[in-house]
């Protein structure tokens, strides 16, 4: 048997945006918007190959540093409440190896004229291929990108 | 907007079984076995309507107390390592309401001539319809049933 391990981790990130919950929600439900802000690294390339924004629908994307290792993310929407909540679950592979599986909850609520966003990623990092610190940094970068997208 | 809430919770349960990891794993991958032990309440009824034990495959089951409220559980397998690990994600509904979504990791490892099982449920409990205590109690009951199944 090969060496197997799982590290479970919960990452919570919060942001306040100067845009309505509907506007911020739209940045997650529109694939063109998502592709603009949803890249975790400066200069990374990404493509969205499938995008079915409905409960039970699949979103499939590829991303990675230019000329470097490429990651495939496949996620399935489990719960959608318009302008309020998106929950999805899926996994990330690279070169056929499964690195990560996780459940992602994004909550949107009004805050003055803006939006409070709370993102919770409950992850299982598989066989030492990936670390929670990478996700913490990647999501932090993306939620900052999202501020520009919603400006 | 209706009142929405999410409670995130991680439940970890561990058991030692006097059966090989292959035997305990089989009790999760064989639908007939799963139906024998996988009911959370004494006298509850359950049925497995779909069971595709492969990565990307769906398992769909219904269960509930006889004559009482019925629950539908739909889960999708995200990672399977034979005799070692099963990870799945999905959700539970009742009467069309979504109560819960979660990621479930089950790890099997040799312990002497037996099996050590570690189960981790990373859950999101939606809109106050369900509570982590219910899952803790339900899984605890099922993992005890599993001891009988593997005897």
């Amino acid at each position: 048997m090969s060496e197997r391990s799982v590290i479970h981790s919960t990452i919570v990130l919060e942001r306040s945006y100067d845009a309505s919950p509907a506007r911020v929600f739209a940045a997650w439900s529109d694939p063109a918007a998502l592709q603009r802000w949803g890249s975790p690294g400066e200069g990374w390339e990404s493509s969205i190959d499938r995008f079915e924004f409905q409960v039970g629908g699949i979103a499939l994307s590829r991303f990675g540093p230019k000329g470097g290792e490429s990651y495939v993310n496949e996620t399935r929407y489990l719960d959608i409440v318009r302008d309020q909540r998106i929950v999805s679950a899926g996994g990330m592979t690279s070169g056929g190896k499964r690195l990560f599986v996780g459940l992602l909850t994004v909550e949107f609520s009004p805050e003055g004229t803006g939006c409070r966003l709370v993102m919770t990623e409950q992850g299982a990092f598989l066989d030492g291929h990936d670390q929670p610190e990478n996700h913490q940094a990647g999501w932090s970068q993306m939620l900052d990108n999202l501020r520009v997208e919603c400006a």
Side-chain angles (χ1 to χ4, degrees), chain A residues 15 17 37 139-149:
Chain A
R15 292 287 190 282
Y17 296 109
W37 67 266
W139 278 118
S140 193
Q141 176 66 55
M142 289 191 279
L143 294 184
D144 290 346
N145 298 347
L146 180 55
R147 190 180 308 285
V148 179
E149 173 66 26

Side-chain angles (χ1 to χ4, degrees), chain A residues 11 40 125 129-140:
Chain A
I11 293 169
F125 294 80
H129 297 310
D130 196 359
Q131 281 76 39
E133 298 74 46
N134 297 342
H135 283 230
Q136 176 94 25
W139 278 118
S140 193

Side-chain angles (χ1 to χ4, degrees), chain A residues 12-77:
Chain A
V12 182
L13 290 171
E14 307 199 22
R15 292 287 190 282
S16 291
Y17 296 109
D18 189 16
S20 69
R23 175 85 183 83
V24 182
F25 181 91
W28 290 78
S29 59
D30 169 22
L34 196 56
Q35 183 154 13
R36 281 192 296 270
W37 67 266
S39 184
E42 196 78 45
W44 282 35
E45 293 179 318
S46 68
S47 68
I48 297 177
D49 299 344
R50 190 170 162 187
F51 193 80
E52 303 158 356
F53 191 71
Q54 58 190 37
V55 172
I58 300 273
L60 184 68
S61 62
R62 285 159 210 277
F63 59 97
K66 204 174 274 191
E69 196 168 15
S70 166
Y71 302 93
V72 178
N73 191 70
E74 186 185 298
T75 195
R76 185 169 182 246
Y77 294 104

Side-chain angles (χ1 to χ4, degrees), chain A residues 84-129:
Chain A
Q84 294 183 69
R85 183 169 72 206
I86 302 168
V87 191
S88 57
M92 196 158 64
T93 57
S94 183
K97 269 201 300 268
R98 191 160 294 107
L99 318 176
F100 170 82
V101 289
L103 184 77
L104 184 73
T105 305
V106 191
E107 297 167 89
F108 310 84
S109 59
E111 185 181 55
T113 58
C115 175
R116 183 80 181 158
L117 180 149
V118 181
M119 196 208 84
T120 306
E121 184 186 78
Q122 294 166 288
F125 294 80
L126 304 178
D127 309 325
H129 297 310

